[in-house]
Structures are given as C-alpha cells and as structure tokens.
Amino acid sequence: MSQAKAIPERSQIAPEFTWNTADLYPTDQAWQEDFSRLQAMVPKLAACAGRLGESADALYAYVTLEQEAGELLVKLMDYAQRRSDEDTRVPEYQAMVGKITSQYVALSQAVSFEIPEVLRIPTETLERFYGEKPELELYRRYFTIIQDRREHTLSDSEEKLLAGVGELAQAPDDIFSKLADADLTFPDAVDGKGEKHPLSNGSYTLLMASEDRALRKSAFENLYAVYGGVKNTMAATLSAQVKQLQFFAAARKYPSALAASLDGTRVPEAVYHNLISTVRANLDKMHRYVRLRKKLLGVDELHMYDVYAPMVSGVDAKIPYEEAKETVYQAVAPLGKEYQAIIREGLDNRWIDVYENVGKRSGGYMSGSMVHPYILLNYQDDLDGMFTLAHELGHAVHSYLSNKTQPTVYRDYVIFVAEVASTCNEALLMEHLLKSTTDKRRRAWLINHFLEQFKGTLYRQTMFAEFELRMGELSAQGEALTADLLSREYRALNEAYFGPDMVSDGQIALEWSRIPHFYYNYYVFQYATGYSAAIALSRRILQEGEPAVKDYLEFLSGGCSKDPIDLLKGAGVDMASPQPIQSALDLFDSLLDEMETLTDFS
C-alpha cells in the first residue's frame, strides 16, 4: 500500500489549523438568538412598504434598518456556511444553511418593494430629501444605481414573486455541491508500482501533478469514470442553472443572461467578448506551450492527464505550510508594512482552515466576514498550495480593507475586481521566488509554475467563459443541454484551445460536470481579466514603489464606491481596452522563450 496518509476526520485536525468560527458566534445557541432577532426585523421592514417616498426621515429609517438586517443576515450565513463546509455530511449544519437560506428569501420578499418605490420617487424629490436629511447623502450612489435600472424593474407584485422563487434559483448549485462534495466517492488511484492512493476532489490536483504517469492516468480515468456515471444528473443540474439564469434575465427584460449578469456589476458586455477574442487571437502561444510541454516530458503523445505534470524534475517541491506562510509574508513586502500586518494577523489568528478532512468542501475560497475574513484551503505541501494561500490572502486583505474603510452600503466589491487582489499577490510571490534563486533548474521549475498560471487562469478560464457563453446561446435557441451535447461542445473547445499536439482524451469531454464555477453566473471570465490586471499592477508596484502602492491600497479600500472599471483606472489599469490582456499574453510568450533557453539540453 502507498505511504500516502488517509484523509483524516475533522476531529483529527489540530485546532490551530482550523478557522475559529467562535469569532462569529461562540455557540450554535448564540447563532439561534441572532437568527430570531433577524426574524423579528422582517415584519418591521415589510411595514415600511408604501412609505419610502413620504419623507426623508422615512426613507432614512428604512435604509438604515435594511442595512442592519443585511449585516446580520451575512453574519448568520457566514457561520452556518463555514460550519457546513467543515464537513458537508453533518445534517445539523446542512439544516442551519437551509434555515438561513429560507430567511434570506423571506427578507428578500419583505423588501421587494424597495426598488419599485425608490424608482417612483421623482429625482427632484430625492434631491430635496438629501438636503433635508444630510445623512441620506451617503446613499446617493446606491439610489442612483437603482434608478439606472428602471427598465429592468418590475411591479411590486412581480418583484415579490421573483423574490419568492429565489430559493429555487439556488437549488442547482446546492444539488451540485451535495453530489460532488458529499455523495460521490472515487476508487483509489494506482501508481506505477501498483500502490493505491486515496482519490477525492481535493486530492485529484495533487495526483495529477505527480511525476508518475501511471498514477496520473489512473486518477484521471477513475475520477471521470465516476462523473461519467452521473453525467445525466450533472447535465440536468447544469441545464437547470442555465435556465434559471435565463428566466430571471427574461423576467427583467434583459436580452440575455450574460447581459443581466454583467449589468449587476456594471461591466460592459464588450469586456467579456473582448477577452475571448483577444485570447482566441493568441491561441498560437498556447499551442506553442503544448509543444514545449510534449517535448520536455519526452512523450510520443501528450494526453490530458499530462497537463499538470511538472515539466522540470529534480527540484525539491515539498513546501510545508509553515514555510509557505513565511514565504508569502516576505513576498508581499513591496506592498508595505500595513499590508504585511494584515497578512500576519490572518496567519496567526485562525482566519484559515488549512487541511483537507473527510466531508470538507473541496477547493479553496475566502469569505469576507465583518469580524475578519475566513479562508478555506485544502492545503497540500507543494508550490500550488503556497500559491493558493497567497491567492486567498489577497482576497482577504481586499475584504479587510474594504470592510474597514467603506460604510456598509459600499463594502462589498463586485466580482469583476475580486480576482485582481488575489492574483497580484501570486504575481508578487512569483517575482520574489525568481529573485531568490540563481539555480538554472530551479528557475526553470518556477517559470514552469508561472506558465501554468497563465495556462490555468488566462487560457483555461477564458475557455470556461466561452463554454458558459455557448451553453447560454444554445439554451436560448431551444437546444436541450443533454450530457452528450455538453460533452461534444466542451471537447470541441478543448481541442481548439490545446491544439493539434494534445490528445483530447474522451474523458476530458466530461470536465464540465465537475466545475463548480459554472454555477456562479458568468463568473469565470473575471479570473482571466483579473489576472491580466494583476500582472500590470504587480509590475507597476515593483517598478514605481510607493506611489503605485498608495494607488493600489486605495483600490483595495474602494469596495463598490465606484464602478469597477473606474476603480481599476485609479490603480493604473484600463480594462476597457485589450491592452492589459495582450500584454499579459506577450509576457507568456517571453516566458516560453526563457523556458526554452533554460531547458535546452542539446
């Protein structure tokens, strides 16, 4: 048998490697008390219906109560979801998530009158209210954004009806999560010596990065054999997700679900299409990368299970968590002592749930709670694990500064800018590591990782974005999103992006079935745009120093106080143009040049 450790139960993880949910609520009972308090707010908010235009005082009383209820809702949701994600099998916390989700729907229904009523307040009346109640001036941008969506707002009864089906809209994501994270089990992967390795959604990435090709092939085939066994269920779930997005978009009179999604973050649709067209025009660089990978691995055929194998061997890649913590802390030094102090606070005071355990939610994320951010990892002792830590800490500092600087109404930054801070941290970490070594092989190993970031973020996430766009188009045309259709479309995209030197194995056509971000409403393109922006920002920070850092920290502190394109312009990046994307792709090309030179063994 393999010496790989079995995945532990939650009770076997040392407390210092778990997040401290007691910072939110010391007990479940304390949670329940606040839940009851939130319940009591709902009728008070509902009683404000029909009164928002009466006076400045009435409008102010409503909006402050609504903000208070919103903050309490987020805190309650944070605790329930964090506890549930620790072990998705625990029924008590599944039930708690269900309760707070239902309460979210009840709250949404109770305040569904808000937007129609604000829209009925004449502009000149709002202006008078600002003068009579100066405290309302804080909410000017908030009310302006509402009025900008006048044509997509329905009658009071229609808004209440849409709010009432909100819980149904979340069902596809919930079903996918329960199936993928809690119910599916996978046969062990077997290495070249016949030894078995536990296979899970969390361990899959680590196994695919092994130098043992037999192990990679086994993990690849075993994972997709299980997903293939539930492909029709997964297709029905994903189809339901696409249809619910289209239902809400049509109900609100948007031309498409994409238009509805991007309007929510005030990002022009052209930015989405610009990303795809720019990356499509640079697929030759991705194909060049595939050829280099095939050459360096020394294989006659490059398969999809070879995509994550290291192209450079002979480098000690084991990075324990404690080492990763200190390296990341040092890498962000160019961002100044204030930034480092926040990082240290998170590392030392249990903001982070570090290791995988049985039933734990897969992947990694950051939740920007008001008490402090929470980070979920499934840390493996490798370079990817260290970069994931840097990534999520970037999100954490972004949330920390926005929460600290902005009033409640503007604290939540939109998802378009969310990936900038996380990826800027990764770029600074890579620069730090490259400067710290003169060893040719180790430098090639690091550049290999840098190339993987470009492949995985700029190219892969754009491919995902194009797949999402295609699903929406086909569904809008009346096509049934069956498992066969989804697999056919996905495989065609995979072949286009990876090019002729990659064997697109049949199993890769099923990859759509295990991607949680397809349930996030046209989210993934922002990984690619965020990566491009972050590359530009990291270079400005390293080249210009303090002025660039000042602009960057102001961006991190901006929340949603401005539109995302304007926030980024203030930090020195114009994402309305293709230039940052093209510049990042040009850097990818130059890294391929250096990698070819470093690995020329002829």
Side-chain angles (χ1 to χ4, degrees), residues 8-19:
E9 293 289 339
R10 181 73 181 178
S11 60
Q12 296 174 297
I13 305 290
E16 61 266 28
F17 298 117
T18 64
W19 52 29

Side-chain angles (χ1 to χ4, degrees), residues 76-147:
L76 288 161
M77 184 68 83
D78 258 328
Y79 182 82
Q81 195 64 64
R82 301 299 78 74
R83 296 309 305 268
S84 178
D85 287 352
E86 292 171 1
D87 188 342
T88 58
R89 303 168 302 168
V90 178
E92 291 83 1
Y93 292 119
Q94 289 183 18
M96 194 178 279
V97 170
K99 282 182 64 175
I100 191 60
T101 300
S102 296
Q103 193 59 41
Y104 164 73
V105 172
L107 181 62
S108 298
Q109 289 176 311
V111 301
S112 60
F113 65 86
E114 176 188 331
I115 293 177
E117 284 199 31
V118 170
L119 287 174
R120 286 197 293 267
I121 301 174
T123 302
E124 56 271 21
T125 301
L126 269 179
E127 287 296 330
R128 176 165 58 82
F129 284 178
Y130 295 138
E132 293 173 353
K133 190 78 172 177
E135 295 92 334
L136 271 176
E137 189 67 41
L138 172 66
Y139 299 95
R140 179 184 287 272
R141 173 176 164 80
Y142 175 73
F143 292 134
T144 299
I145 289 173
I146 290 176
Q147 295 198 318

